[in-house]
Amino acid sequence: MVYFDDGTSKKRRGLYRKNRPYWLLYLLIGIALGAFLFAVALPKIVETNWLPYQFYVIHEQEESFDEGVDQTTNQAEMLNRLTPVNVDISTQVTAIVEDVIPAVVGVENIQTQSFNFWEQEAYDGGTGSGVIYRREGDRAYIVTNHHVIEGASQIEVILEDGTRLMAELKGSDMFTDLAVLEIDGSEVDGVIEFGNSELTKVGEPVIAIGNPLGLDLSGSVTQGIISGTQRAIPQDFSGDGRADWQTEVIQTDAAINPGNSGGALINMSGQLIGINSMKIAESAVEGIGFAIPIDEAIPVMQELEETGQMTRAFLGVEAYSLTDLPQAEWRRSLELPNDVDGGIYIQSVEPFSPADEAGLETYDVITELDGEPIYTIVDLRKHLYQEKQPGQEMEITYYRDGDRNQTTVELSTQ
C-alpha cells in the first residue's frame, strides 16, 4: 500500500475526497432560494400586512417605479388625494375699513382769483378729508379741519364712489381747527359711530383713513398705535413766532400725510376717536402724527352746526408771557417780587372792554385767574375759552408797581 508524506494511504485519501461537503452547491441553492423568496413570497407577505407600515410605503413606491409608473403621474395622484382647505384671509382691520370707509370723504377747497371786475378764475386751493358724522332727513353733516376749508369760495365733497356734491360751510373755528359742512344726504351711504377718546390707551392699535397727497389716493388706510394722549402742541396763528394757542391732541404713529387732514382716526371697534389734524414735517422726524380727540371735538361740532361760530368769553387785553422778557426786567421795569415765577403782562387794554371796566392797566401782571396760576398767554386763553362763558364773572389776581391786587370782571362775548 502506498502512503503519502502525511502518513495517509491512497485509499484513505480517496475516501476523504469522496465525503467532503459540496459548499459551492449549497451556496448556489441558497441564492436561488433567496431570490425565490424575494420575488414570490415577500409580495404575498406584504399583501397580508404582516410587515411594518413604513416598509410597506417604501415597497409601494418601489413597486410603482418597477411597474414603470411615471413620476409626474404619481405626484398628480397624490395631489388629488389632498383635502382642499379654505382659508379666510379677512382680518378685523379689513372688516372695520369696509364698514367705515363710506363715511370718509374728500374735501376740495375751490378758491376764486379776480383779475378785474369782469374776469375771475377758479382754482384748486387744496384738498383734504372729512368724516360724515350725522344724517338727518335729507341732509348730512361732515366734520373736517378749519385749515382744509380756509379761504374757500366754494367747497366740494367727494364721496367714496366718486360722486361730487357742493357743500355749505356751517361754521369753522381756528383755535380747535374744526369745521362743519352740510351736504345733500340722499347720496350718503354711511355715517361714522363715535367712540370715547378719554378711554384710549397708549399702545392701543388705531387706523387712519383719508386722502393723502390728494384725491388720487383717496380712501388710503394706514395702521399704527396710540403713541401718546393729552399732548399739547403750540400753535402760532399770527406768524409772529409766539404760540397763540395749545391744541390738545392724540399722538399716533399711523402715517398721516398732507391730505389726511380732517380724516378719521378709528379704534379697533370701528369707532371715531379722533380727527386727523397735523404731523411734524421734518426730515429727521418719522411716525409722529396728531388727531383732535373726539370728546373735545363734539361740543365744538354741535355749536358750529347750530350757530355757525364758537361763542367764547372775552376779556379785552393784549397780553404776553413773562417768559418773553428777560428776568432782569421782571424786577426792574415791572417791579415784581422775587416770589413771582410766572404770569402774563398786559401790553394794552381795549377801551370799554371787561378788562377796562374792571380797572386793569397797561403793564399789570396777571398771575392767577379764579385762584388758578397763570404762566403763559395760552393758559389765559384756555381758561377763558374752556372754563368760562360770556356773562360769567372771573376773579383776577395781578401785580401793579410791586403790589398784589385782585379784581372781578364780568366777561362779555368775543
Side-chain angles (χ1 to χ4, degrees), residues 53-73:
Y53 174 75
Q54 184 177 7
F55 180 84
Y56 170 75
V57 173
I58 295 174
H59 174 75
E60 182 181 44
Q61 293 175 346
E62 291 177 352
E63 186 179 23
S64 298
F65 286 108
D66 289 342
E67 293 175 357
V69 178
D70 183 72
Q71 184 176 2
T72 304
T73 304

Side-chain angles (χ1 to χ4, degrees), residues 3-321:
Y3 290 89
F4 293 98
D5 293 339
D6 60 0
T8 59
S9 65
K10 288 184 178 181
K11 184 177 180 180
R12 188 171 179 84
R13 176 68 62 88
L15 290 171
Y16 175 77
R17 287 177 179 174
K18 184 176 181 180
N19 297 328
R20 181 168 82 173
Y22 294 93
W23 58 270
L24 181 59
L25 178 61
Y26 297 157
L27 177 61
L28 293 174
I29 293 172
I31 292 174
L33 182 60
F36 172 79
L37 292 173
F38 185 81
V40 178
L42 185 59
K44 298 296 183 182
I45 295 173
V46 169
E47 289 178 4
T48 61
N49 294 326
W50 289 358
L51 294 181
Y53 174 75
Q54 184 177 7
F55 180 84
Y56 170 75
V57 173
I58 295 174
H59 174 75
E60 182 181 44
Q61 293 175 346
E62 291 177 352
E63 186 179 23
S64 298
F65 286 108
D66 289 342
E67 293 175 357
V69 178
D70 183 72
Q71 184 176 2
T72 304
T73 304
N74 195 35
Q75 290 177 348
E77 290 178 357
M78 293 177 64
L79 290 174
N80 289 334
R81 295 175 185 175
L82 295 177
T83 303
V85 177
N86 295 321
V87 179
D88 183 5
I89 62 173
S90 297
T91 64
Q92 187 177 3
V93 173
T94 60
I96 291 171
V97 171
E98 186 176 334
D99 184 54
V100 168
I101 206 166
V104 181
V105 300
V107 177
E108 189 166 17
N109 181 328
I110 302 173
Q111 299 185 8
T112 303
Q113 182 178 7
S114 298
F115 298 99
N116 51 53
F117 183 77
W118 297 276
E119 189 176 2
Q120 291 183 337
E121 181 181 350
Y123 64 95
D124 185 0
T127 58
S129 307
V131 184
I132 304 172
Y133 69 89
R134 191 169 76 88
R135 181 173 56 187
E136 184 176 346
D138 61 349
R139 310 303 293 171
Y141 299 89
I142 296 168
V143 59
T144 185
N145 287 145
H146 166 81
H147 74 264
V148 169
I149 54 83
E150 188 175 13
S153 301
Q154 292 180 325
I155 302 172
E156 208 166 50
V157 169
I158 300 90
L159 303 182
E160 182 202 10
D161 61 1
T163 302
R164 288 178 171 265
L165 301 172
M166 296 304 299
E168 176 189 350
L169 177 62
K170 298 294 292 182
S172 67
D173 180 56
M174 178 178 63
F175 288 98
T176 57
D177 195 25
L178 291 171
V180 172
L181 310 176
E182 183 181 349
I183 62 171
D184 179 6
S186 61
E187 302 285 345
V188 172
D189 293 329
V191 175
I192 204 78
E193 177 185 351
F194 288 140
N196 189 339
S197 56
E198 290 291 332
L199 300 179
T200 56
K201 296 181 180 179
V202 174
E204 176 183 344
V206 289
I207 304 166
I209 306 178
N211 307 311
L213 309 180
L215 298 175
D216 290 339
L217 301 178
S218 63
S220 292
V221 178
T222 56
Q223 186 177 12
I225 62 170
I226 297 292
S227 304
T229 59
Q230 296 182 336
R231 301 293 200 209
I233 305 299
Q235 301 290 304
D236 178 16
F237 303 123
S238 60
D240 60 0
R242 295 183 175 132
D244 298 307
W245 183 249
Q246 281 190 338
T247 303
E248 185 176 314
V249 292
I250 299 170
Q251 180 185 337
T252 177
D253 68 347
I256 296 177
N257 295 291
N260 274 116
S261 295
L265 188 69
I266 306 294
N267 62 17
M268 298 310 289
S269 296
Q271 299 171 327
L272 182 68
I273 59 170
I275 306 298
N276 300 327
S277 181
M278 67 187 86
K279 69 172 292 184
I280 296 180
E282 296 180 9
S283 59
V285 177
E286 185 174 345
I288 300 181
F290 302 102
I292 303 166
I294 195 61
D295 288 6
E296 299 288 333
I298 288 175
V300 178
M301 292 156 55
Q302 291 174 341
E303 188 162 352
L304 291 177
E305 184 182 326
E306 294 171 2
T307 67
Q309 62 181 357
M310 287 296 296
T311 303
R312 292 190 171 98
F314 176 64
L315 179 61
V317 298
E318 179 187 357
Y320 298 96
S321 305

